[in-house]
Amino acid sequence: MTSLSPTADRNPFAAALERLPFLPALLILVVLVVLNGWFEPNSLSYRAITGLVSTYLALMMLAIAQTYVVMAGDIDLSVGATLSLVNVVVIVLMERWGGGGGMVLLACFVGILTGLACGLINGLVVAALRLQAIVATFATSIFFTGVALYVLPVAGTPAPAAFWRTYGGRILEIPFVFWVVAALALLLVLLVRTRLTLQLLAVGDDAQGAFQSGLPVAAIRIKGYVLCGLFAALAALCITGDTASGDPLVGGKMTLYSVAAVVLGGSALSGGKGTVVGSLVGALIIGLINSLVFFVGTPSEWQNLVQGLAILIALMAGVFVGRRVGQ
Amino acid sequence: MSIDTSAAGVSGNRSGSAVIEFVRKPLVVALVLIVALLALGEALSPGFASLQQILRLSIVAALLGIVAAGQNLVILGGREGIDLSVGGVVSLSAIIAGNLMMGQNGGILPAVLVCLATGALFGLANGLGVTLLRIPPLVMTLGMLGVLQGLLVVIRQGIPSGRAAPALSQFVSQPFLLGLPGIIWLWLAIGLLMAFLLKRTVFGYRVYAIGSNEQAAYMAGVPVRTIRVALFMLSGMFAALAGICLLGYSGSSFANVGETYMLPSIIAVVLGGTPLAGGRGGYTGTMAGAMLLVVLQSILTTINIDESGRQMIFGATLLVLMLFYGRAKAMRG
Amino acid sequence: DTFTIGLSNGWVGSEWRTQMIEEAQAAAAAWEEKGHTVNVVVQSANVDVPGQIAHVRNFISQGVDAIIINPNSPTAFDPVFAQAKEAGILVISTDAEVSSPDAIYVGIDQTAWGARGAEWLAETLNGEGKVVAINGVAGHPANEMRVAGYRSVFEQHPGIEVVNEVNANWDQAQGQQAMQNLLATYPDIAGVWVQDGMAAGAWKSIQDAGKTGDIAATGEIRKDFIDLWTSEGLNSGATVNPPGVMASALNVAVFMLEGRELKEPATAGQYGNAMYLPIPFIDSSNLAEAAAQLEGKPGHYSYTSALSIEDAEALFK
Amino acid sequence: MTELLIRGARKAYGATLALRRGDFDLKGGEVHVLIGSNGSGKSTLCKIVAGSVKPDAGEVVLNGAPVTIAGPQASRALGIGIFYQELSLAARRTVAENILLPELPATGGLFVNRRELDERAARYIAEFADVAGDGFSADTPVLNLRADQRQLVEIMKALASEAPILIFDEPTSALDRAQVDRFFEILKRLKGEGRAIVFISHRMDEIFAIGDRVTVIRDGETVATSNIAETDPSTVIRQMVGDQGELVAAAAAPAAAPGEARIALQVDRLGGQGFTEISFRVARGEILGFGGLHGQGQSSVLRALFGAASHDAGSVTLDGKPYKAASPRDAIAHGVAYVSGDRSRDGVVQGRPILENVTPIHFLRNRIGLVRPSALKDKADGPLKALKTKFQTIDHPINSLSGGNQQKIVIARWLIDRPDVLLLDDPTKGIDLQAKSDLFALIRQLAAEGMGIVLYSSEDAELLANADRILVFNSGSVTRELRGDERTRYNLYHAAYEAA
Ligand SMILES: Nc1ncnc2c1ncn2[C@@H]1O[C@H](COP(=O)(O)OP(=O)(O)OP(=O)(O)O)[C@@H](O)[C@H]1O
Ligand SMILES: Nc1ncnc2c1ncn2[C@@H]1O[C@H](COP(=O)(O)OP(=O)(O)OP(=O)(O)O)[C@@H](O)[C@H]1O
Ligand SMILES: [Mg+2]
Ligand SMILES: [Mg+2]
């Protein structure tokens, strides 16, 4: 039988985009790198790139964190607060327990547990109690901020030098942050292949359908939030390494950036479509836009506006291109 | 059907009993909670529930409530409608209004006109992005918020922050009619207007239609895009109006005054019984939601504990309150 | 000589910050007369801590000679300042102290700032009465230093009872709301310790409640407030944190870039790297003088003072 | 041998009693048909067994032991697999992933085992390989599939459960004949293996082709179970309808179109996405039928005429004047109406009152700005009565009605202000027999009153009984026109399968 198939005339680029929705973002990233290098050749130096990665590694992690909930069609407005909380917990513990190697590691471990706990709370509130994610995680973000202020009432308290010198230093002549990136890449490759990733995406596609198919939807969403908490905690460790101190408010502004990064990376906030690689690229795009705006010589009072416009345009372009080609 | 019976579809199991049905209405829940909180406040610190203080709280709630009116409309219109840029518009409007008034009553009218036009303009941009380019509202308005914040910086460097006209300040904080300040009357008028708009105009019917099933609405000849753009424009205009009132409240415009309205305006809508999915709910509940939020915040200000404790209590209380409302349907029907 | 100095400001939410940058730019231009070309590159935007770290890294990439920063965190810049120093860049923080041993601080002592207003309040109340405090952002270092400042003073006055302390996040409208709530709950308060722009908000609530004559409250240094203060005869006192601090820091920086050595090395403060500038105070005794300095300025303009080039030179060997 | 018993299952949604008393027994080795009009509670009963609906009362006995079915997972664990009427697919996931989604093969319980996944999925895909049509493969995202192909995926997903008990809730509503035949072959094989199968369909021929026993459900109550061999269609229909009296026999269509009547709609060489060179005329008073296998361009033509899809070639005149609808809004303004069979997507505004669902066209055509509910209710009353719509009050949300009644509301919205041309795009999909006969009586009456009507139906009997002429579509163009006595089932099939 010859039937009229809607799929017959799909172009290969559309097919590629379906699998790799971050292609437009990658293109934007390349353009930004070139422009940065054009306006400030130094910005492509080894040192500058190391700096860029150190600065935005936390945002990359946070964007990854956000991706795991967005995949399932949820959102987490508390990632920034979680990051802050983990940051102060780690700092306070390192101060209490002294700066010895073992103790530092133990503090980091407790920090990660804290992040997991925050993720679990969000998951329970959103998936088990079935509150609306946007408002519920906003409420938990207020709660987590309160806890962070309780743990460390005022920003400060230096991290042990051993900690941040390691983070900012080199191993085998290669900056530590690049090792982190490599480890992260490995972790992500593993995560992409997990059953959970596929289940999160299926839930994001059609939660009711997934439930009726026999998937443990609530448990899957909770796991997504826990994974989100994990990466928010890792982001906090990066921030702690880069800032060498505790700040109960440090992550506040990063929440919305993490959402923007996820969208820039080609994920759909409605769920079912998303890649961590895209979010990572999205975070770098935000970083490069910020530096480009300066290197181009934008007068200071215009910097915020130009950044805002550039990010808005990148967001619109990404969504638009993704949808156009995807159709 | 009244627009307030919206909770019906939200919760999984409905009871047949009319009493329980009534008590489950978000509006009733919010009002009961407001009274309970006022009583608690009075118990904690006598004078908290005095008429005078309730009036003052209502002024603050009105500011939030006016922003939430626009937010409510955008949310009702569905397709994940949400407006994160309201905070930026509030700030921008306060600055523009201050500069057009410069403390002169004669400046009020031009300020109101220019601000409403500005709000509408940004709403138009949001609406066009959402409809023509099909950018998800959260993304579009988040991006617009960034632009507005940048614009504020530019503007504030170029022009001085202005001052409210005395008549405006008076309107916001001094008794105007029957002992109530003008802004309360304004808020009540907006409440009536919204009820009329949503229940008695074809526009209102169409808002619910696109919020509930956009495709079906389109097939029934509803001008989907036009309506959605109009909703964003209204949201911008309500935010601008709130900016003007905020100027009147604080006397002068400054910094990002509006920032603190972004997420609370959404919370007020949710506490008022309009689910973020849209297509259900109404503004009466939202008004109560705004009042509830303000009363809660001010109770926390008056009890003498650390900021950390206040935030923990605030966050936890919000979560508990949300349990009364918009819980998603259980997957298992 | 030609120097390039990077100015980083991580928050642009107030005119005070704008004025700070403008005064620093003016100070740089003034060096032209002395035969030096001082170029300033400015990054002034609303950023978070990582964003401001990016500012510093951008300056390092650009190869500036010195960085003057109004930092969003006291301790978070230690690693990146170490990198700047490695690149041969002089780092000075202003307005808020930093813990980095690779930077010095030129500005006022925020603890002393907080204490100064509290002293005025205690004196005005004759050491007697209920007091509330309206603070900035909880957990923000400058806020916490100021809080420590006023607490230490009020502790010395047993007659003064601090009945409540709230945070209104340096937001004028929130300050106004907080004051409104406080007035409702504590009808008998005599004094208010409040910072910056929130003071204007708090005073608005005091006026609305018709208690202008009954309450003493700290004030602020913007012209519009000073005008109000004068016309309404408010019982107020304002500690000055002049927006000129960054200009002062710039003048110090240029001398240091020239290779001059400080007579007294910067060793003050909790981090031992601070050089404190004097803190002016405005109360009824010198209100008219302050008003005169601000004559003809726009309402948002703050009362200011800065080290001139000569003042700065006097600090060097 | 597997045996499933359901006793006194009951489920209420608020005031709506979806299932009053569901009694049902199912044995291994049989295909047990469940039949009943729309909203009689079939899906509800199935979902209770599948665990996705929680019953208010009732017991389930499996192989002699009472069981509690706590959820879909528990149901699967008990050996129950289900095809959902509204499907349960993840649109962006591939066919293979969807088939095995409930039990993804995993290495170490953590990582998806792609090889095993592909291998296992391939088994089920192979069963339908030659009837699935173009663009169907293991790694196609479900998003890119046609409706029938999606239904096939849902069938494969149910088969992949390899459960001893399989429930199919209207699995054939979008399938073509070849696909149905293949599906029935599989059902027979499974039956042979001793599996117990529940099958739901509104097509009487299918029921008698595949069923062993039939249980009739009426108003939420199971009323009778009989062996297929011992019953016949009219008995079943009588059981479904109950005491409401005899069904009106399908009206025999007039032999020929009213010749002199004015032409309401003339279409010349229309071409667009999914159709080419379509030409036809519809006279006022005439019902023109579109036939053929589904998905041959019939819907696309109707949607294009209504402005909901674009056409890039040809011309249309409406009452003699050139007509090209840029949007449905535009079409409505010109007096064209369109009723889609996919009511949940195109028709119903969920959660809103019936009133709001009946009035949008009225608002548009009369340029109304302000609403007076009392006046509106009067306007809505007539059409709702004409369609014999059952509802409590007009302020109740439309979801409180059964599917058939919802569809009546969607149709009623076009009747307050009469259109000139009525485009019916498989309007009775999933509607019960009573509602169908009511509807067609009304359509005939509308035609008699001067409307030009185009009717596309996927049910041949319906088309033959109601259309004055039938255009048979094949691969996007009209291959045959059947008039008068030519309108026979044989001719229709012949034309439909001609080039296929
Ligand atoms: N061909 C189509 N088929 C189905 N739905 C459509 C189609 N085109 C548009 N829509 C839906 O309707 C929405 C709005 O489309 P459109 O802009 O055409 O509305 P409109 O009613 O023409 O509005 P206006 O009168 O203001 O132009 C789209 O976002 C989409 O969801
Ligand atoms: N989730 C729900 N909420 C409210 N009412 C419902 C829900 N699901 C079903 N109903 C109602 O329950 C009744 C039975 O519905 P059900 O889907 O079981 O019918 P059905 O026999 O499968 O009909 P059809 O042949 O149209 O599929 C209908 O009146 C329907 O409107
Ligand atoms: Mg059904
Ligand atoms: Mg249009």
Side-chain angles (χ1 to χ4, degrees):
Chain A
M1 187 184 79
T2 52
S3 58
L4 298 157
S5 157
T7 59
D9 50 358
R10 300 183 59 73
N11 68 41
F13 188 50
L17 203 62
E18 215 157 69
R19 255 158 246 271
L20 312 169
F22 53 83
L23 284 182
L26 212 52
L27 195 73
I28 297 178
L29 183 72
V30 170
V31 170
L32 282 172
V33 168
V34 170
L35 286 176
N36 264 283
W38 178 274
F39 285 101
E40 179 54 69
N42 276 345
S43 72
L44 297 188
S45 68
Y46 189 49
R47 169 149 80 199
I49 290 189
T50 311
L52 183 83
V53 173
S54 328
T55 310
Y56 290 102
L57 194 53
L59 184 59
M60 289 192 242
M61 297 272 194
L62 212 58
I64 291 168
Q66 191 69 260
T67 315
Y68 280 108
V69 290
V70 166
M71 277 179 181
D74 289 316
I75 198 165
D76 186 352
L77 293 188
S78 76
V79 282
T82 304
L83 184 153
S84 306
L85 177 57
V86 174
N87 166 254
V88 296
V89 164
V90 170
I91 283 290
V92 166
L93 288 183
M94 289 199 289
E95 197 202 20
R96 291 259 169 91
W97 294 346
M103 287 301 150
V104 166
L105 283 181
L106 194 61
C108 291
F109 181 69
V110 175
I112 286 176
L113 288 184
T114 309
L116 291 174
C118 291
L120 184 65
I121 291 173
N122 281 324
L124 289 175
V125 159
V126 173
L129 292 181
R130 304 195 307 270
L131 299 185
Q132 302 176 64
I134 292 185
V135 279
T137 56
F138 175 59
T140 56
S141 85
I142 298 175
F143 182 80
F144 296 156
T145 304
V147 180
L149 280 168
Y150 176 78
V151 174
L152 185 69
V154 53
T157 311
F163 182 74
W164 63 266
R165 290 218 186 274
T166 308
Y167 184 85
R170 288 154 189 266
I171 296 176
L172 300 177
E173 286 311 297
I174 295 178
F176 182 79
V177 288
F178 288 165
W179 290 104
V180 176
V181 170
L184 180 66
L186 190 71
L187 181 62
L188 292 183
V189 165
L190 288 178
L191 277 169
V192 164
R193 285 156 202 275
T194 56
R195 194 158 60 159
L196 181 61
T197 301
L198 218 157
Q199 288 174 331
L200 283 168
L201 288 167
V203 168
D205 238 325
D206 176 4
Q208 185 68 31
F211 171 76
Q212 296 192 342
S213 306
L215 293 191
V217 171
I220 291 169
R221 289 169 74 197
I222 291 173
K223 283 183 203 165
Y225 272 104
V226 170
L227 211 48
C228 173
L230 169 70
F231 277 96
L234 292 177
L237 295 185
C238 296
I239 280 279
T240 313
D242 205 36
T243 63
S245 63
D247 181 345
L249 306 171
V250 67
K253 280 198 177 155
M254 294 175 77
T255 302
L256 291 181
Y257 278 126
S258 75
V259 176
V262 166
V263 176
L264 282 172
S267 300
L269 288 182
S270 48
K273 176 183 163 197
T275 58
V276 280
V277 178
S279 307
L280 220 139
V281 172
L284 281 174
I285 288 179
I286 292 175
L288 284 173
I289 285 179
N290 289 348
S291 55
L292 181 63
V293 166
F294 171 64
F295 291 138
V296 165
T298 316
S300 69
E301 65 269 30
W302 292 88
Q303 283 166 3
N304 267 124
L305 180 59
V306 177
Q307 277 164 16
L309 275 173
I311 291 178
L312 177 64
I313 292 169
L315 284 172
M316 300 204 319
V319 174
F320 189 70
V321 170
R323 211 194 40 250
R324 257 297 136 96
V325 183
Q327 268 168 1
Chain B
M1 162 185 277
S2 135
I3 49 169
D4 299 319
T5 51
S6 51
V10 181
S11 56
N13 37 12
R14 272 177 269 167
S15 162
S17 156
V19 177
I20 294 183
E21 191 87 356
F22 175 76
V23 171
R24 285 187 68 89
K25 283 189 185 187
L27 181 65
V28 178
V29 174
L31 290 176
V32 168
L33 286 170
I34 290 170
V35 173
L37 282 179
L38 284 173
L40 177 70
E42 183 69 25
L44 289 174
S45 51
F48 183 84
S50 71
L51 204 59
Q52 194 62 18
Q53 172 68 356
I54 292 177
L55 259 180
R56 295 223 172 94
L57 291 178
S58 308
I59 295 177
V60 178
L63 294 169
L64 175 61
I66 294 172
V67 182
Q71 190 72 261
N72 200 346
L73 286 173
V74 168
I75 290 174
L76 278 178
R79 213 210 272 149
E80 287 145 19
I82 200 164
D83 190 350
L84 296 187
S85 71
V86 284
V89 174
V90 170
S91 306
L92 186 66
S93 160
I95 288 194
I96 294 178
N99 278 282
L100 288 176
M101 287 179 204
M102 277 301 172
Q104 304 299 318
N105 285 343
I108 294 184
L109 188 65
V112 169
L113 294 178
V114 171
C115 287
L116 290 183
T118 309
L121 192 72
F122 280 93
L124 179 68
N126 281 329
L128 291 181
V130 166
T131 55
L132 293 185
L133 302 178
R134 307 245 184 122
I135 315 290
L138 187 101
V139 178
M140 184 68 209
T141 57
L142 173 63
M144 191 58 77
L145 176 68
V147 171
L148 278 161
Q149 284 170 340
L151 196 64
L152 283 171
V153 176
V154 175
I155 286 187
R156 293 162 48 78
Q157 315 246 329
I159 59 170
S161 56
R163 261 178 314 123
L168 178 66
S169 298
Q170 202 128 35
F171 177 78
V172 172
S173 44
Q174 300 303 320
F176 174 77
L177 192 67
L178 301 176
L180 297 181
I183 189 168
I184 305 281
W185 290 109
L186 177 69
W187 194 25
L188 291 174
I190 289 175
L192 284 178
L193 179 88
M194 290 282 289
F196 178 77
L197 189 74
L198 291 174
K199 278 189 190 173
R200 287 300 160 91
T201 68
V202 169
F203 179 82
Y205 276 42
R206 288 175 168 169
V207 170
Y208 284 110
I210 67 170
S212 165
N213 185 350
E214 173 172 327
Q215 173 73 10
Y218 175 77
M219 297 300 270
V222 173
V224 175
R225 289 183 189 179
T226 313
I227 301 235
R228 183 156 286 124
V229 171
L231 291 178
F232 277 99
M233 289 177 72
L234 282 170
S235 175
M237 289 167 75
F238 275 118
L241 186 62
I244 298 168
C245 295
L246 190 56
L247 174 74
Y249 177 71
S250 51
S252 59
S253 51
F254 55 91
N256 301 336
V257 278
E259 218 165 333
T260 47
Y261 288 88
M262 180 174 89
L263 290 164
S265 70
I266 299 168
I267 301 247
V269 171
V270 169
L271 292 188
T274 302
L276 292 181
R280 279 198 305 267
Y283 185 62
T284 337
T286 301
M287 294 175 80
M291 188 68 193
L292 178 57
L293 209 55
V294 167
V295 172
L296 178 59
Q297 264 170 329
S298 74
I299 282 202
L300 287 172
T301 315
T302 47
I303 50 177
N304 188 7
I305 49 171
D306 271 353
E307 182 65 13
S308 59
R310 284 191 186 120
Q311 299 219 14
M312 282 189 262
I313 296 175
F314 187 43
T317 312
L318 281 183
L319 283 175
V320 172
L321 286 183
M322 282 169 197
L323 284 175
F324 287 94
Y325 304 93
R327 286 181 67 194
K329 248 188 291 193
M331 291 260 160
R332 188 156 185 245
Chain C
D1 287 5
T2 300
F3 300 119
T4 304
I5 299 181
L7 308 181
S8 167
N9 170 40
W11 186 66
V12 284
S14 77
E15 281 84 2
W16 190 96
R17 295 285 182 125
T18 312
Q19 192 176 335
M20 172 190 84
I21 297 281
E22 278 166 1
E23 289 191 32
Q25 284 171 319
W31 279 95
E32 206 65 49
E33 292 167 21
K34 307 275 170 188
H36 286 300
T37 305
V38 179
N39 297 320
V40 287
V41 278
V42 184
Q43 292 186 88
S44 175
N46 273 319
V47 285
D48 50 6
V49 168
Q52 202 172 16
I53 290 178
H55 278 181
V56 176
R57 291 205 163 111
N58 287 339
F59 282 140
I60 298 175
S61 288
Q62 257 203 342
V64 297
D65 299 300
I67 295 170
I68 301 174
I69 185 171
N70 186 336
N72 284 353
S73 161
T75 47
F77 295 92
D78 285 18
V80 75
F81 285 169
Q83 288 166 17
K85 189 177 185 186
E86 226 174 88
I89 298 170
L90 169 71
V91 181
I92 297 181
S93 87
T94 189
D95 193 35
E97 296 182 37
V98 290
S99 60
S100 170
D102 305 310
I104 62 166
Y105 171 76
V106 177
I108 63 156
D109 176 0
Q110 299 289 1
T111 313
W113 186 97
R116 186 69 190 80
E119 276 159 18
W120 170 84
L121 196 58
E123 272 169 36
T124 307
L125 299 178
N126 295 319
E128 212 59 63
K130 289 187 176 172
V131 168
V132 292
I134 300 176
N135 300 327
V137 175
H140 191 287
N143 180 65
E144 301 303 328
M145 287 173 80
R146 291 172 173 190
V147 169
Y150 77 68
R151 281 193 186 149
S152 69
V153 172
F154 289 145
E155 270 161 23
Q156 291 159 18
H157 293 85
I160 299 241
E161 185 196 353
V162 181
V163 290
N164 203 343
E165 297 163 279
V166 301
N167 291 83
N169 307 319
W170 279 308
D171 181 311
Q172 184 176 324
Q174 287 185 44
Q176 188 175 340
Q177 280 169 34
M179 191 69 231
Q180 183 178 303
N181 290 329
L182 291 168
L183 284 171
T185 326
Y186 310 100
D188 52 348
I189 44 178
V192 182
W193 188 94
V194 52
Q195 316 179 20
D196 297 344
M198 294 181 293
W203 270 109
K204 181 124 198 325
S205 276
I206 295 172
Q207 284 178 291
D208 283 349
K211 297 203 164 183
T212 316
D214 313 333
I215 290 180
T218 53
E220 67 152 337
I221 56 171
R222 279 165 58 124
K223 172 164 162 52
D224 43 18
F225 184 79
I226 301 241
D227 287 347
L228 181 79
W229 185 346
T230 313
S231 67
E232 301 289 315
L234 308 180
N235 190 3
S236 192
T239 328
V240 179
N241 178 21
V245 284
M246 188 174 251
S248 305
L250 184 130
N251 287 340
V252 170
V254 175
F255 283 112
M256 293 181 83
L257 287 175
E258 279 183 338
R260 304 273 293 268
E261 256 184 74
L262 280 170
K263 282 179 188 157
E264 286 176 46
T267 52
Q270 53 175 324
Y271 303 118
N273 61 357
M275 175 191 209
Y276 287 136
L277 301 176
I279 305 176
F281 192 83
I282 303 171
D283 58 14
S284 51
S285 68
N286 62 348
L287 181 62
E289 275 170 52
Q293 194 216 56
L294 297 171
E295 195 61 47
K297 299 284 188 193
H300 63 82
Y301 197 84
S302 291
Y303 180 86
T304 189
S305 67
L307 293 179
S308 64
I309 295 178
E310 287 71 27
D311 295 339
E313 187 162 24
L315 299 171
F316 286 86
K317 285 180 188 160
Chain D
M1 205 50 127
T2 313
E3 188 166 48
L4 180 72
L5 285 172
I6 300 154
R7 289 282 162 262
R10 180 190 159 88
K11 177 70 186 177
Y13 292 100
T16 318
L17 203 50
L19 196 60
R20 192 182 304 270
R21 189 178 49 78
D23 296 326
F24 190 70
D25 74 300
L26 179 68
K27 296 194 195 80
E30 73 163 345
V31 173
H32 194 142
V33 170
L34 194 54
I35 190 166
S37 57
N38 290 120
S40 53
K42 301 181 297 296
S43 299
T44 305
L45 184 64
C46 295
K47 285 183 179 171
I48 286 173
V49 178
S52 46
V53 162
K54 184 178 178 178
D56 301 332
E59 59 167 351
V60 180
V61 181
L62 183 64
N63 298 331
V67 289
T68 24
I69 299 177
Q73 262 179 306
S75 168
R76 264 186 96 87
L78 291 171
I80 299 164
I82 180 168
F83 174 106
Y84 286 101
Q85 182 179 3
E86 69 280 20
L87 310 189
S88 62
L89 304 175
R92 293 195 188 81
R93 300 293 101 215
T94 65
V95 168
E97 285 166 350
N98 267 290
I99 293 174
L100 291 172
L101 192 59
E103 280 145 30
L104 287 168
T107 317
L110 206 57
F111 300 102
V112 178
N113 183 340
R114 285 278 159 188
R115 233 191 48 207
E116 195 189 330
L117 182 118
D118 288 340
E119 276 171 13
R120 278 176 54 189
R123 261 183 260 158
Y124 302 99
I125 296 171
E127 304 251 34
F128 292 92
D130 49 337
V131 293
D134 291 348
F136 190 95
S137 70
D139 56 358
T140 316
V142 163
L143 188 74
N144 296 336
L145 299 179
R146 296 190 311 249
D148 58 317
Q149 294 174 324
R150 289 180 198 194
Q151 234 170 33
L152 288 181
V153 178
E154 182 81 4
I155 289 178
M156 296 174 199
K157 191 172 166 184
L159 295 179
S161 69
E162 292 295 351
I165 298 171
L166 288 169
I167 301 171
F168 292 96
D169 188 358
E170 299 200 35
T172 54
S173 61
L175 302 188
D176 68 28
R177 193 150 289 102
Q179 292 165 339
V180 172
D181 290 346
R182 175 60 48 83
F183 176 57
F184 282 2
E185 281 168 30
I186 294 171
L187 283 191
K188 284 177 189 145
R189 197 186 68 217
L190 295 175
K191 190 168 86 173
E193 290 170 6
R195 310 246 206 129
I197 293 162
V198 178
F199 176 72
I200 297 177
S201 170
H202 286 288
R203 295 183 186 161
M204 202 60 74
D205 53 343
E206 290 182 354
I207 288 161
F208 280 84
I210 191 73
D212 296 308
R213 286 197 295 163
V214 55
T215 291
V216 177
I217 181 167
R218 184 175 74 224
D219 294 336
E221 239 170 303
T222 42
V223 289
T225 299
S226 26
N227 288 326
I228 286 280
E230 293 155 13
T231 186
D232 57 71
S234 57
T235 311
V236 170
I237 290 174
R238 224 168 295 120
Q239 288 168 336
M240 281 166 62
V241 175
D243 304 331
Q244 293 165 23
E246 286 299 301
L247 269 183
V248 209
E260 313 303 313
R262 270 194 304 139
I263 298 300
L265 181 71
Q266 172 157 355
V267 174
D268 286 307
R269 307 172 69 97
L270 201 68
Q273 175 101 48
F275 56 92
T276 49
E277 298 278 325
I278 305 287
S279 301
F280 61 87
R281 309 159 136 211
V282 189
R284 287 183 173 274
E286 185 188 29
I287 301 177
L288 174 69
F290 280 5
L293 300 177
H294 70 86
Q296 303 300 306
Q298 302 97 326
S299 280
S300 307
V301 170
L302 295 179
R303 292 178 81 91
L305 290 174
F306 189 59
S310 63
H311 60 92
D312 40 34
S315 64
V316 183
T317 60
L318 191 68
D319 263 336
K321 292 187 258 334
Y323 161 82
K324 177 162 186 170
S327 66
R329 197 173 162 71
D330 200 12
I332 294 163
H334 282 89
V336 177
Y338 170 87
V339 175
S340 164
D342 192 343
R343 64 178 163 275
S344 63
R345 188 190 65 181
D346 292 335
V348 171
V349 178
Q350 287 91 359
R352 301 308 304 168
I354 293 165
L355 180 68
E356 287 182 25
N357 272 284
V358 195
T359 48
I361 308 300
H362 180 63
F363 291 152
L364 185 59
R365 296 200 60 181
N366 295 283
R367 300 173 186 282
I368 292 176
L370 296 183
V371 175
R372 274 199 309 132
S374 57
L376 269 187
K377 284 175 188 170
D378 292 343
K379 292 253 183 219
D381 230 28
L384 290 175
K385 286 224 175 77
L387 285 163
K388 301 188 186 144
T389 320
K390 289 193 204 103
F391 56 92
Q392 291 189 322
T393 81
I394 200 163
D395 292 325
H396 268 69
I398 191 164
N399 325 38
S400 64
L401 305 184
S402 74
N405 281 308
Q406 292 185 17
Q407 186 72 345
K408 287 180 181 175
I409 307 273
V410 173
I411 294 170
R413 70 167 61 134
W414 296 101
L415 303 182
I416 300 180
D417 305 280
R418 294 282 168 93
D420 300 319
V421 171
L422 177 58
L423 309 174
L424 299 167
D425 186 0
D426 214 356
T428 58
K429 201 187 275 175
I431 288 195
D432 67 50
L433 298 167
Q434 178 70 56
K436 269 183 204 175
S437 82
D438 291 350
L439 179 64
F440 283 113
L442 181 83
I443 288 173
R444 179 53 70 191
Q445 187 196 330
L446 292 174
E449 287 168 21
M451 223 179 265
I453 295 174
V454 183
L455 167 69
Y456 163 54
S457 172
S458 57
E459 264 189 68
D460 302 327
E462 203 171 287
L463 204 57
L464 291 165
N466 295 291
D468 301 328
R469 279 185 298 140
I470 297 172
L471 302 182
V472 185
F473 277 66
N474 203 325
S475 300
S477 37
V478 176
T479 52
R480 180 105 189 253
E481 177 175 342
L482 306 176
R483 305 168 160 270
D485 294 341
E486 295 167 354
R487 294 172 307 154
T488 63
R489 194 173 281 256
Y490 174 82
N491 285 341
L492 188 57
Y493 287 5
H494 192 268
Y497 279 96
E498 228 158 38

